[in-house]
Amino acid sequence: MLPLPAAESEKPLVARGLQVDIGDRELVGDLELSLAPGEFVALLGRNGCGKTLTLETLSGLRPATRGDIRYFGRPANDWSRPDLARRLSLLPQEQEDLFPSTVLEEALIGRHPHIGRWRWESKEDQAVAVAELDRLGLAELTERNVATLSGGERRRLAIAQTLIQRPDVYLLDEPTNHLDPRHQLRVLEIVREEAARGATALVSLHDANLAERFADRCLLLYGDGEWELGRTASVLDGDRLGRLYGTPIVAVPWRGRRLFTPDESPVGPTD
């Protein structure tokens, strides 16, 4: 395993030559990714292109077909899961509620990496949980049974649980799922706030307009092994997004930014 260049030796997450496959299909080939503190990087691509598998691979939950992943300069295999859980958090697309619990009890799961094996949550842990629930607009629901929540409320609870973990690296798989526009914006504003305090975020999104608004860089996955990574203003354009999503997309100037929208022109021949 070759040493990292000095400039990358302490980066929160570095992947070199990473290959992600599903069955005999290559989804991501030879990915070179280096994430810095304070960055918000959007992960974009159509359904089935490998966004979730890439995030799971980068988190260490599934093995890469090939390549090297390091966290804070140390090879992934050198980290125990408890140690890594104190520094890195993965938000999955969906979560199952296996046991009856209140919103506060569920949120406190995010503190478990910081709590000794035989300890209960402290008042400080509870204060952290309540503060993050309030940040997501859930403070009044702390005693509610999780089973009674709407899909959007449950999603915000999952995000709060991730924030309560207090990681340095956030890997978020479609955090805006099930959320109305107001809550989509609030969640991504919070991710930006976390980046401003020095955290790193890699966030999969379906909406290129949200990436345009919030992300410093974008990683585009085409689903055939090919990928592109660059500053948001450089890699987001109609041609790339049209290829990425398999439908014509145009960029429209709007209030100093660009809006990306499907082109109304027909995709194929018409009668």
Side-chain angles (χ1 to χ4, degrees):
M1 190 176 295
L2 295 175
L4 290 175
E8 294 188 348
S9 61
E10 296 300 323
K11 290 286 183 70
L13 193 156
V14 176
R16 302 174 69 188
L18 192 70
Q19 182 173 328
V20 178
D21 295 344
I22 183 72
D24 59 357
R25 179 185 168 199
E26 181 184 77
L27 297 173
V28 182
D30 294 322
L31 177 64
E32 299 289 328
L33 178 66
S34 177
L35 301 181
E39 273 201 302
F40 182 140
V41 180
L43 178 60
L44 301 176
R46 71 183 77 178
N47 293 335
C49 73
K51 298 189 299 296
T52 293
L53 293 179
T54 297
L55 289 172
E56 290 177 350
T57 302
L58 290 171
S59 74
L61 287 185
R62 72 186 302 273
T65 304
R66 184 178 65 247
D68 175 27
I69 300 173
R70 303 194 187 198
Y71 311 112
F72 305 95
R74 289 169 51 193
N77 291 337
D78 287 359
W79 289 81
S80 69
R81 291 310 302 181
D83 285 345
L84 186 59
R86 286 188 280 272
R87 306 294 302 275
L88 180 148
S89 182
L90 171 69
L91 174 75
Q93 266 191 50
E94 305 289 345
Q95 288 182 289
E96 294 184 10
D97 302 314
L98 300 178
F99 304 102
S101 61
T102 67
V103 166
L104 181 58
E105 289 168 340
E106 188 75 12
L108 280 166
I109 292 173
R111 295 303 299 162
H112 287 184
H114 303 277
I115 297 172
R117 182 171 295 180
W118 304 113
R119 282 182 49 211
W120 291 100
E121 298 92 350
S122 67
K123 290 182 179 179
E124 290 76 13
D125 294 319
Q126 294 197 26
V128 170
V130 170
E132 294 301 344
L133 288 171
D134 184 51
R135 204 173 173 194
L136 270 300
L138 298 171
E140 296 181 358
L141 305 182
T142 55
E143 299 305 314
R144 278 267 298 272
N145 188 308
V146 171
T148 69
L149 299 180
S150 70
E153 289 168 338
R154 183 62 187 86
R155 191 59 174 162
R156 284 186 283 143
L157 173 56
I159 294 163
Q161 187 183 97
T162 302
L163 294 166
I164 289 161
Q165 193 173 330
R166 290 288 195 265
D168 298 299
V169 179
Y170 291 91
L171 302 179
L172 307 179
D173 196 359
E174 297 187 21
T176 56
N177 268 3
H178 307 299
L179 299 184
D180 60 41
R182 177 170 71 95
H183 287 110
Q184 287 182 8
L185 293 177
R186 179 58 186 142
V187 163
L188 296 182
E189 286 168 356
I190 288 172
V191 176
R192 278 251 58 111
E193 290 167 6
E194 291 298 295
R197 72 163 181 83
T200 303
L202 178 61
V203 183
S204 73
L205 297 169
H206 272 304
D207 189 341
N209 292 304
L210 292 176
E212 164 79 4
R213 181 166 179 171
F214 289 100
D216 302 303
R217 293 192 292 163
C218 290
L219 174 59
L220 313 183
L221 300 185
Y222 291 99
D224 57 0
E226 190 174 346
W227 53 272
E228 288 187 82
L229 174 65
R231 302 296 299 178
T232 298
S234 299
V235 299
L236 287 194
D237 58 45
D239 289 341
R240 284 186 176 90
L241 291 174
R243 179 185 167 208
L244 192 73
Y245 293 115
T247 189
I249 291 178
V250 294
V252 180
W254 184 79
R255 293 187 180 180
R257 293 200 299 267
R258 298 169 297 169
L259 284 180
F260 298 102
T261 182
D263 195 342
E264 295 181 358
S265 61
V267 175
T270 58
D271 294 333

